[in-house]
Amino acid sequence: TGGLRVALEFLAEHIPAKVYIPNPTWSNHLQIIERSGLRYVEYPYYDPKTRGLNFQGFKRALENANPGSIILLHACAHNPTGVDPTQEQWRELVNVFKERRLVPYFGSAYQSFATGDLYRDAYPIRLFLAEGLQMVVAQSLAKNFGLYGERTGALHIVCRSKEIRDKVLSQVRLIIRAMYSNPPIHGARVVDRILNNPTYFAEWKVTPSFFSF
């Protein structure tokens, strides 16, 4: 939630475009977008008839979006449906993003909970990165690290160059300073210790698979 809000505040100030959100999506997305001063429109996502993805409607909405539009994407374990694009479908979508010059905004709150595999669940993010897209990733570590209530996560903004990165970072820091100044540190230290200790990491990365769909 915190990462989502910070990046949307940044986008509202510097790229005040419409935000495209899946229908349906996590209900709090709507409030966060509106309170950041941006407008949202829905794109087709879930097909209740098939209980699956309305891929053609999804893709068509992106093809008709104005260049520079911000597209909110669930990296995996879509909330509330649990329906995700296949890897082949993601590869089709990334081409649309490039052709239409759209801004990908990934929310990643359930990594490892969809397929049980840490890396498979990150596939779309890694794909978009490999294709050279600038993008935003708001990553929650509350669930897959068992740190709910500790406000632990990460905000990643991928930039095309070091010069752009430095400018973006300076503006994001200003937003954070005025919003909450300093985040809680306990959860971040727990995550840092697990990720940087090979033994702890090996044990942790299989644990969320116990809860995968």
Side-chain angles (χ1 to χ4, degrees), residues 18 20 25 36 40 44 62 70 72 83-84 86 114 167 172 196 198 213:
K18 284 183 180 178
Y20 282 69
T25 193
S36 300
Y40 67 84
L62 297 185
I70 302 160
L72 186 64
V83 173
D84 297 324
T86 64
K167 291 178 179 178
V172 169
N196 288 289
F213 296 168

Side-chain angles (χ1 to χ4, degrees), residues 71-93:
I71 314 297
L72 186 64
L73 302 163
H74 296 230
C76 67
H78 176 271
N79 182 359
T81 70
V83 173
D84 297 324
T86 64
Q87 291 189 3
E88 181 181 355
Q89 289 170 336
W90 278 120
R91 289 193 291 271
E92 286 189 48
L93 293 173

Side-chain angles (χ1 to χ4, degrees), residues 14-202:
H14 299 282
I15 312 175
K18 284 183 180 178
V19 182
Y20 282 69
I21 63 173
N23 179 21
T25 193
W26 181 44
S27 59
N28 207 24
H29 280 151
L30 283 60
Q31 299 182 74
I32 296 171
I33 293 167
E34 289 179 334
R35 289 182 177 273
S36 300
L38 293 168
R39 292 181 298 157
Y40 67 84
V41 294
E42 294 180 330
Y43 61 80
Y45 190 85
Y46 183 67
D47 185 345
K49 293 181 180 179
T50 64
R51 298 182 182 179
L53 179 66
N54 179 358
F55 179 69
Q56 293 305 320
F58 180 7
K59 183 180 177 182
R60 188 161 48 248
L62 297 185
E63 290 171 339
N64 292 325
N66 290 330
S69 296
I70 302 160
I71 314 297
L72 186 64
L73 302 163
H74 296 230
C76 67
H78 176 271
N79 182 359
T81 70
V83 173
D84 297 324
T86 64
Q87 291 189 3
E88 181 181 355
Q89 289 170 336
W90 278 120
R91 289 193 291 271
E92 286 189 48
L93 293 173
V94 76
N95 290 327
V96 179
F97 273 83
K98 292 165 70 174
E99 291 166 4
R100 298 297 299 161
R101 291 180 285 120
L102 305 174
V103 179
Y105 192 146
F106 282 100
S108 178
Y110 302 98
Q111 188 177 356
S112 286
F113 282 33
T115 66
D117 185 281
L118 184 69
Y119 303 104
R120 282 178 63 192
D121 281 2
Y123 176 81
I125 297 173
R126 290 172 175 238
L127 171 66
F128 278 55
L129 181 64
E131 292 291 331
L133 275 76
Q134 298 188 114
M135 61 182 174
V136 178
V137 181
Q139 182 179 22
S140 171
L141 303 176
K143 302 168 188 68
N144 53 13
F145 276 90
L147 290 169
Y148 217 90
E150 296 292 345
R151 315 310 305 155
T152 306
L155 173 61
H156 314 270
I157 302 179
V158 179
C159 304
R160 190 172 293 116
S161 68
K162 181 180 182 300
E163 181 182 7
I164 296 174
R165 182 203 68 182
D166 292 344
K167 291 178 179 178
V168 168
L169 182 59
S170 70
Q171 296 304 303
V172 169
R173 281 173 170 165
L174 289 173
I175 293 169
I176 289 172
R177 181 64 175 164
M179 188 179 292
Y180 58 82
S181 189
N182 292 292
I185 199 168
H186 172 72
R189 284 182 170 170
V190 171
V191 171
D192 178 72
R193 187 166 185 181
I194 292 171
L195 294 182
N196 288 289
N197 181 298
T199 302
Y200 294 162
F201 177 74

